[in-house]
């Protein structure tokens, strides 16, 4: 018997309850009462960011594909949810089963950003799990972590039991097997067994000694048989690697609310500041046929209207033009393509030409620096003329805006380089001619581990601010939007990026002082962090602002990313003289980075025939937008789905229509969407037995088939009950429906008496204050109250309230509750039971019985 938590007190008082529902489309729910290894995948940031992360989607799919494993999810609760949880003694829980996290076997954190570390501690605390690994025995979950920041695990060494280094697909199932064989043993024995897996690092099995000046003297295993270096795990063939095409579809809008397709992993451009470019080497591509098959399944199983082609440098995929063209041939204008990582090269105009056929939005380019000299230092060549030409071409094709990313504070940067950035921005602004948006982002250089610049110091905060202001003061005052990173955040990021395990005490102190969500500017508290450093007597500048020597033992030297330290040092020396290292993929000449064997083992890209036929597309029918007939459906919105907002419900239905393969007509234009309209909006938290929607079809479909197909892909709580054809010229639902009936369940009998109903209905006016466009207005709600009927049966008190709609206006439920009952806490539940239209004779009719 599992201990499923009642989270109603939380859902009823948070701003976005859909963050915590856990029953999204394609989420997986297993019977946890069975003998399964329970794994909870944790992302230490808010739901909208965590659910956008592809890595957790991959692990979620891999683990749940096994019959002996149940994988669920948890994200960092937002402030309002945490307050409600602590107030109501609700421990941190998984989304799918609402099981307390402490009842799982394994809790796995994804490490993507240094400034989310305090969220990890907060989540452990909310889960009622001791923060320190040494304080957790066999009664608590094994706390593990992976992701790009695990390549320097030391700042979290005292909190995490073990780290998985490298590609999670390669190690996670092996870890499960070893866990199953040793779960009954003492924790120390379990960790010792797990440490034998390649790619697994157990911090407790290692000792670190320091010199008096703070540098590391020695890093060594505590016991025999423990690896001195931990080599990363790596997927060698992406075509054979598991990839989820049934990705979870959220109810709410998230950061990257689209289907995600990973076209390649790794990068060989060799930018000397780039952490991901090193740790994800060598480059591995998926074949065209594999990608097109995955794209078909993704859209078919999710119903998404956007598809993102993800990689570190999308435009460097070997067959990017063929891929984009093939996807357009498959999906036409029904699916918009997003290429989030474009390197400036001659291909960009060609790609933009293709994408312009689908959707004119903005495009992001990353020149990084403003001079050829500094380009050679960082090993990233970008022709300014190519940049300007690409942007001019993009605008001619109908694109509306461009965003440029620059980095300041790089090694060897001077003010002439800043002038170069200013010159580029002015040049591009002239191309914009005031008709296109130009957005500029200025980030501060943060030295990262396992890069040629890992030995360099970050500039002092004061100098970074001065360089930011130097650029900003010389930019055009109009038509250019500039954003920049808080230098305090960049400084703290640098500290933990190159930190050692002594920072664990700082992290713990900062959390105790109240730090969390540090990556969010509005919640970052620099004063608390300074107090944390002062109280632990640790100088943050030792980590951020100090250059390191080659012979110095670095806190992450025991982590083998595959690229040798000698190669990184040589690259650093090359940067000092401005010597470039060519891209080995383009030149087909090995640079001897240390991954020669792995590169030679890569499988070749398959020879795909181009182009493909439209007939292979699973959604070809969506490319016919001409309306031929209209269908009206009646459906319920009950259970947890009552927390879905009106806009989110519209998006949910649109995607369900695609999954159900209903032949819906599309709107015209570059951003077509299904022709769907809902009845009057229902407030969040209110259930309904009778909601309505009109949809236009481009070809006939049997109503019984439509209802069956729709119900097969809708989440629990939403069910189509009825459907009918209506005239294309019929009134819209919001124009037609003029009567709403609600059932209000109440707990306290003393708060409602028949006399109160008579008194209320006898009033000619009932004035309330309503906030309209940030102003309070007096509104008379009496004309909207049609009828009130009180029912008492089996100890329950129900009020049936009928409201009129006049010119689209009616009384809000909160306004009625306040005016009639006064205390909303006495309301157990509210359900919309009917929507009618009243004819001229006063007769009521159902919208689906015309």
């Amino acid at each position: 018997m599992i201990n499923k938590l009642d989270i109603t007190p939380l859902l009823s008082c948070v701003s976005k309850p859909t963050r915590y529902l856990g029953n999204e489309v394609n989420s997986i729910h297993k019977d946890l009462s069975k003998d399964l290894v329970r794994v909870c995948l944790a992302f230490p940031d808010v739901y909208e960011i965590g659910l956008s992360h592809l890595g957790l989607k991959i692990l979620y799919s891999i683990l749940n594909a096994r019959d002996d494993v149940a994988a669920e999810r948890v994200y960092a609760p937002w402030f309002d949810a945490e307050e409600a949880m602590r107030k109501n003694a609700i421990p941190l829980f998984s989304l799918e089963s609402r099981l307390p996290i402490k009842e799982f076997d394994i809790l796995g954190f994804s490490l993507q950003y240094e400034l989310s570390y305090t969220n990890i501690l907060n989540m452990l605390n909310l889960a009622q799990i001791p923060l320190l690994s040494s304080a957790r025995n066999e009664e608590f979950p094994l706390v593990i972590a992976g992701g790009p920041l695990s390549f320097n695990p030391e700042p979290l060494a005292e909190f995490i039991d073990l780290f998985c280094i490298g590609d999670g697909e390669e190690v996670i199932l092996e870890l499960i097997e070893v866990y199953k064989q040793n779960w009954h043993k003492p924790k120390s024995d379990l960790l010792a067994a797990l440490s034998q897996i390649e790619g697994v690092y157990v911090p407790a099995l290692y000792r670190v000694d320091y010199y008096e000046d703070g540098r590391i003297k020695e890093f060594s295993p505590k016991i025999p048989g423990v690896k001195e270096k931990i080599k990363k795990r790596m997927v060698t063939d992406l075509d054979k690697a598991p990839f989820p095409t049934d990705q979870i579809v959220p109810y709410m809008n998230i950061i990257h609310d689209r289907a995600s397709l990973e076209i390649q992993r790794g990068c060989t451009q060799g930018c000397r500041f780039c952490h991901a470019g090193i740790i994800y080497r060598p480059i591995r591509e998926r074949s065209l046929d594999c990608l097109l098959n995955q794209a078909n399944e993704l859209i078919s199983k999710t119903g998404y209207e956007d598809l993102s082609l993800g990689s570190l440098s999308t435009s460097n995929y070997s067959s990017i033009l063929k891929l984009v063209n093939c996807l357009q041939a498959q999906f036409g204008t029904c699916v918009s393509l997003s290429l989030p990582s474009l390197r400036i090269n001659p291909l960009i105009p060609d790609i933009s030409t293709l994408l312009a056929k689908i959707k004119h939005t903005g495009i992001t380019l990353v020149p990084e620096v403003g001079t050829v000299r500094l380009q050679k230092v960082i090993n990233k060549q970008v022709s300014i003329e190519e940049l300007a030409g690409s942007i001019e071409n993009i605008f001619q094709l109908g694109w509306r805006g461009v965003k440029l990313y620059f980095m300041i504070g790089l090694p060897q940067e001077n003010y002439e380089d800043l002038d170069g950035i200013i010159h580029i921005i002015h040049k591009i602004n002239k191309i914009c001619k005031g008709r296109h948006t130009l957005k500029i982002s200025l980030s501060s250089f943060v030295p990262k581990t396992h890069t040629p610049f890992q030995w360099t110091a970050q500039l002092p905060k004061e100098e970074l601010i001065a360089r930011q202001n130097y650029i900003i003061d010389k930019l055009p005052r109009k038509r250019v939007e500039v954003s920049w990173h808080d230098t305090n955040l960049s400084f703290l990021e640098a500290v933990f990026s190159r930190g050692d395990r002594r920072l664990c005490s700082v992290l713990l102190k900062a959390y105790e002082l109240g730090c969390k969500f540090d990556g969010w500017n509005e919640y970052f508290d620099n004063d608390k962090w300074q107090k944390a450093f002062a109280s632990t007597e640790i100088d943050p500048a030792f980590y951020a602002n100090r250059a390191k020597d080659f012979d110095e033992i670095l806190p992450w030297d025991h982590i083998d990313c595959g690229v040798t330290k000698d190669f990184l040092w040589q690259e650093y020396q090359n940067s000092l003289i401005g010597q470039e290292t060519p891209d080995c993929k383009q030149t087909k000449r090995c640079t001897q980075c240390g991954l020669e064997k792995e590169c030679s083992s890569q499988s070749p890209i398959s020879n795909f025939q181009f182009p493909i036929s439209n007939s292979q597309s699973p959604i070809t029918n969506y490319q016919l937008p001409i309306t031929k007939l209209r269908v009206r459906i009646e459906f319920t919105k009950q259970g947890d789905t009552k927390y879905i907002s009106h806009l989110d419900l519209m998006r949910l239905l649109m995607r369900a229509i695609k999954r159900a393969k209903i032949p819906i007509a599309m709107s015209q234009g570059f951003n077509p969407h299904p022709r769907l309209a809902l009845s009057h909006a229902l407030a969040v938290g209110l259930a309904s037995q009778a909601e309505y929607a009109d949809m236009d079809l481009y070809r006939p479909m049997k109503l019984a088939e439509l209802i069956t197909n729709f119900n097969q892909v809708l989440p629990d709580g939403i069910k189509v009950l009825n459907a009918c054809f209506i005239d294309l010229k019929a009134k819209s639902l919001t124009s037609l429906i003029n009567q709403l009936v609600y059932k209000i369940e109440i707990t306290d009998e003393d708060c409602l008496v028949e006399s109160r109903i008579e008194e209320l209905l006898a009033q000619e006016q009932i004035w309330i204050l309503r906030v309209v466009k940030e102003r309070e207005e007096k509104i008379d709600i009496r004309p909207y109250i049609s009828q009130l009927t009180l029912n008492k049966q089996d100890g329950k008190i129900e009020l049936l309230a009928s409201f009129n709609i006049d010119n689209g206006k009616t009384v809000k439920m909160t306004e009625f509750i306040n005016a009639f009952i006064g205390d909303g806490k006495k309301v157990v539940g509210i359900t919309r039971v009917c929507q009618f239209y009243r004819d001229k004779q006063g007769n009521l009719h159902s919208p689906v019985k015309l």
Side-chain angles (χ1 to χ4, degrees):
M1 190 70 180
I2 67 168
N3 180 25
K4 185 174 181 179
L5 295 170
D6 178 14
I7 63 169
T8 304
L10 182 152
L11 297 175
S12 61
C13 67
V14 296
S15 59
K16 297 181 179 180
T18 48
R19 286 171 171 161
Y20 313 101
L21 295 183
N23 60 350
E24 311 99 319
V25 171
N26 293 333
S27 58
I28 299 173
H29 300 254
K30 292 189 175 183
D31 184 357
L32 298 189
S33 64
K34 295 182 178 180
D35 186 18
L36 304 175
V37 178
R38 301 174 181 177
V39 181
C40 190
L41 300 172
F43 198 92
D45 212 320
V46 74
Y47 175 90
E48 296 93 304
I49 296 175
L51 191 58
S52 301
H53 184 245
L54 181 58
L56 246 59
K57 296 177 184 179
I58 293 173
L59 295 180
Y60 183 81
S61 176
I62 291 174
L63 290 169
N64 279 314
R66 288 184 58 138
D67 294 334
D68 58 349
V69 178
E72 301 194 348
R73 299 163 294 137
V74 66
Y75 306 96
W78 195 240
F79 292 87
D80 54 359
E82 180 182 343
E83 182 181 357
M85 291 167 69
R86 295 192 185 279
K87 180 180 179 180
N88 294 281
I90 301 174
L92 190 65
F93 55 90
S94 66
L95 295 191
E96 282 78 358
S97 67
R98 297 175 186 172
L99 184 72
I101 298 301
K102 62 182 178 182
E103 295 187 26
F104 279 80
D105 300 308
I106 299 173
L107 173 61
F109 284 97
S110 177
L111 306 179
Q112 302 295 321
Y113 186 31
E114 291 88 349
L115 300 189
S116 68
Y117 286 173
T118 51
N119 281 6
I120 294 176
L121 302 193
N122 193 47
M123 291 173 74
L124 289 173
N125 179 266
L126 281 168
Q128 301 171 2
I129 297 174
L131 304 186
L132 296 173
S133 174
S134 59
R136 297 192 294 266
N137 57 22
E138 297 79 12
E139 297 178 2
F140 295 99
L142 188 70
V143 180
I144 70 175
L149 297 192
S150 64
F151 282 82
N152 180 19
E154 295 306 292
L156 289 172
E158 293 182 10
F159 308 109
I160 305 297
D161 295 322
L162 70 83
F163 294 84
C164 297
I165 313 298
D167 293 336
E169 306 101 309
E170 281 293 298
V171 69
I172 190 65
L173 294 184
E174 191 174 341
L175 188 147
I176 293 294
E177 287 297 334
V178 176
Y179 177 86
K180 288 179 65 178
Q181 297 166 12
N182 296 273
W183 67 270
H184 58 284
K185 296 180 181 179
K187 182 181 177 181
S188 57
D189 293 345
L190 172 62
L191 289 175
L194 291 167
S195 72
Q196 298 304 306
I197 302 173
E198 185 174 285
V200 168
Y201 169 56
V202 180
L205 300 181
Y206 296 82
R207 177 176 57 250
V208 187
D209 297 316
Y210 300 91
Y211 290 111
E212 290 186 3
D213 63 2
R215 293 178 298 122
I216 294 176
K217 182 178 181 180
E218 184 180 15
F219 187 95
S220 59
K222 290 182 179 179
I223 58 177
V226 177
K227 303 183 291 288
E228 290 190 2
K229 280 209 168 190
I230 294 83
K231 185 178 180 180
K232 77 171 182 181
R233 298 292 292 271
M234 186 185 74
V235 171
T236 58
D237 188 346
L238 283 184
D239 275 9
K240 297 178 181 178
F243 186 81
T245 55
D246 54 349
Q247 296 172 12
I248 292 174
V249 183
Y251 294 134
M252 64 182 296
N253 192 24
I254 61 175
I255 299 299
H256 301 300
D257 196 11
R258 58 182 75 100
S260 300
L261 189 65
E262 184 187 31
I263 65 173
Q264 65 182 7
R265 192 175 300 180
C267 181
T268 55
Q269 293 176 23
C271 301
R272 292 171 176 142
F273 57 82
C274 184
H275 180 247
I278 296 294
I279 66 170
Y280 288 121
R281 285 192 181 195
I283 194 163
R284 293 145 287 167
E285 294 189 352
R286 279 193 167 92
S287 63
L288 270 172
D289 47 356
C290 177
L291 289 172
L292 291 168
N293 287 333
Q294 290 179 353
N296 278 338
E297 291 186 21
L298 264 171
I299 300 303
S300 178
K301 293 178 180 180
T302 64
Y304 269 118
E305 55 283 335
D306 294 288
L307 177 64
S308 174
L309 308 182
S311 79
L312 292 176
S313 181
T314 302
S315 55
N316 280 57
Y317 176 68
S318 297
S319 303
I320 184 61
L321 291 178
K322 286 186 178 180
L323 175 61
V324 171
N325 218 332
C326 286
L327 290 172
Q328 287 191 344
Q330 285 182 312
F331 301 128
T333 59
C334 298
V335 175
S336 295
L337 300 183
S338 170
L339 280 67
S341 300
L342 287 178
R343 189 184 187 191
I344 299 164
N345 62 33
L347 283 179
I348 285 184
D350 296 323
I351 297 171
S352 302
T353 301
L354 293 174
L355 295 183
K357 298 175 184 177
I358 289 183
K359 187 176 180 180
H360 292 172
T361 55
I363 195 165
T364 299
L365 301 174
V366 189
E368 302 288 7
V369 297
T371 62
V372 174
R373 183 195 69 83
L374 198 54
Q375 287 176 359
K376 293 180 178 180
V377 170
I378 68 173
N379 202 45
K380 182 170 184 175
Q381 280 295 331
V382 176
S383 166
I384 305 305
E385 295 306 317
E386 278 187 7
L387 171 64
S390 295
I391 293 175
E392 196 162 11
N393 188 288
I394 286 167
F395 289 155
Q396 289 174 356
L397 292 169
W399 291 68
R400 295 193 290 265
V402 66
K403 185 172 185 178
L404 302 179
Y405 276 93
F406 294 96
M407 186 181 295
I408 63 172
L410 283 157
Q412 301 185 58
E413 178 188 78
N414 56 41
Y415 277 76
E416 290 182 0
D417 300 307
L418 303 185
D419 288 333
I421 293 176
I422 296 167
H423 171 72
I424 291 174
I425 295 173
H426 278 279
K427 185 180 184 71
I428 303 305
N429 190 47
K430 287 182 180 179
I431 296 174
C432 291
K433 299 177 181 179
R435 297 192 297 269
H436 307 282
T437 59
L438 175 59
K439 296 181 180 180
I440 305 298
S441 176
L442 301 175
S443 66
S444 298
F445 166 69
V446 175
K448 293 289 185 176
T449 65
H450 302 284
T451 69
F453 288 162
Q454 65 182 348
W455 290 279
T456 65
Q458 186 183 58
L459 287 177
K461 289 186 288 185
E462 296 76 15
E463 179 59 25
L464 287 174
I465 293 173
R467 297 190 184 197
Q468 283 178 349
N469 292 335
Y470 181 83
I471 294 174
I472 294 168
D473 290 344
K474 296 190 176 185
L475 294 184
R477 298 299 179 189
K478 296 181 180 180
R479 300 189 297 274
V480 177
E481 300 178 26
V482 185
S483 61
W484 57 92
H485 289 191
D486 184 335
T487 55
N488 288 316
L489 289 172
S490 300
F491 174 72
L492 191 61
E493 184 181 344
V495 170
F496 279 91
S497 171
R498 301 200 302 169
D500 53 42
R501 62 177 61 184
R502 289 173 296 186
L503 287 177
C504 290
S505 61
V506 180
L507 184 60
L508 180 59
K509 187 62 179 177
Y511 169 67
E512 292 172 347
L513 290 171
C515 292
K516 56 189 171 186
F517 284 100
D518 298 299
W520 297 66
N521 283 17
E522 59 268 42
Y523 299 111
F524 175 70
D525 192 328
N526 190 55
D527 291 340
K528 289 179 180 177
W529 274 102
Q530 295 309 311
K531 289 179 182 177
F533 283 112
S535 64
T536 54
E537 298 182 347
I538 289 180
D539 180 11
F542 175 82
Y543 299 100
N545 303 133
R546 181 179 68 89
K548 302 176 185 290
D549 298 324
F550 177 75
D551 294 331
E552 180 177 339
I553 297 176
L554 304 176
W556 53 91
D557 274 349
H558 56 292
I559 304 297
D560 181 3
C561 72
V563 177
T564 66
K565 191 174 181 180
D566 287 338
F567 174 80
L568 295 175
W569 179 258
Q570 183 58 52
E571 278 296 282
Y572 177 45
Q573 298 305 305
N574 289 344
S575 76
L576 297 177
I577 59 175
Q579 180 175 324
E580 297 172 275
T581 300
D583 185 335
C584 60
K585 180 183 176 183
Q586 293 182 355
T587 63
K588 302 191 184 309
R589 295 179 59 185
C590 181
T591 56
Q592 303 295 313
C593 71
L595 287 165
E596 297 81 21
K597 181 179 178 182
E598 289 79 359
C599 278
S600 63
S601 68
Q602 296 307 302
S603 57
I605 301 302
S606 60
N607 184 19
F608 186 80
Q609 297 299 315
F610 170 81
I612 66 165
S613 168
N614 280 357
S615 63
Q616 296 184 33
S617 171
I619 58 165
T620 304
N621 52 355
Y622 295 102
Q623 300 180 27
L624 301 173
I626 301 174
T627 299
K628 292 194 174 179
L629 67 164
R630 182 165 296 166
V631 173
R632 176 164 294 164
I633 63 171
E634 179 182 33
F635 61 95
T636 64
K637 186 171 179 277
Q638 297 177 314
D640 284 344
T641 62
K642 69 182 183 181
Y643 296 106
I644 300 174
S645 72
H646 186 71
L647 290 177
D648 291 339
L649 176 64
M650 173 73 82
R651 184 165 47 244
L652 181 156
L653 292 175
M654 286 181 175
R655 291 169 179 171
I657 287 168
K658 284 191 175 183
R659 294 194 301 273
K661 295 180 172 55
I662 295 172
I664 192 164
M666 306 294 291
S667 64
Q668 301 289 340
F670 284 101
N671 186 21
H673 56 271
R675 294 183 62 86
L676 176 74
L678 301 183
S679 54
H680 295 281
L682 185 67
V684 173
L686 273 60
S688 178
Q689 298 174 358
E691 292 299 290
Y692 298 93
D694 288 345
M695 64 178 74
D696 292 351
L697 307 184
Y698 66 81
R699 64 171 172 80
M701 184 178 190
K702 292 181 179 180
L703 293 178
E705 181 186 1
L706 182 147
I707 293 173
T708 299
N709 289 4
F710 223 155
N711 285 332
Q712 287 176 348
V713 299
L714 288 170
D716 291 342
I718 298 180
K719 183 178 181 180
V720 178
L721 303 175
N722 201 356
C724 68
F725 291 109
I726 63 172
D727 192 281
L728 288 173
K729 297 181 179 180
K731 283 187 176 182
S732 68
L733 285 164
T734 51
S735 299
L736 178 70
I737 295 172
N738 52 26
Q739 193 83 27
L740 305 175
V741 182
Y742 294 88
K743 179 178 67 177
I744 305 170
E745 300 176 60
I746 304 163
T747 58
D748 187 357
E749 184 174 358
D750 294 335
C751 75
L752 275 178
V753 290
E754 286 81 355
S755 59
R756 176 58 179 151
I757 295 175
E758 294 176 2
E759 177 186 341
L760 193 69
L761 293 177
Q763 296 182 42
E764 294 184 0
Q765 296 177 324
I766 303 175
W767 294 97
I768 57 100
L769 288 177
R770 177 183 293 177
V771 177
V772 180
K773 296 182 179 180
E774 299 182 354
R775 293 187 310 169
E776 283 191 343
E777 292 184 6
K778 287 185 67 177
I779 304 291
D780 179 15
I781 64 173
R782 179 61 186 89
Y784 304 123
I785 302 174
S786 173
Q787 187 175 356
L788 302 175
T789 305
L790 188 65
N791 295 323
K792 301 179 184 179
Q793 188 175 3
D794 299 329
K796 295 182 179 179
I797 303 174
E798 294 179 352
L799 175 67
L800 282 180
S802 297
F803 298 149
N804 299 319
I805 300 176
D806 184 15
N807 292 323
K809 298 179 180 180
T810 188
V811 60
K812 296 180 180 180
M813 183 55 66
T814 52
E815 296 169 344
F816 173 75
I817 295 296
N818 290 334
F820 187 68
I821 302 175
D823 187 359
K825 293 181 181 179
K826 295 180 179 179
V827 177
V828 176
I830 304 174
T831 302
R832 184 148 73 185
V833 293
C834 300
Q835 297 187 62
F836 296 116
Y837 72 92
R838 188 187 299 273
D839 62 23
K840 295 180 179 180
Q841 289 74 38
N843 300 314
L844 295 176
H845 303 271
S846 167
V848 293
K849 296 178 181 178
L850 302 178

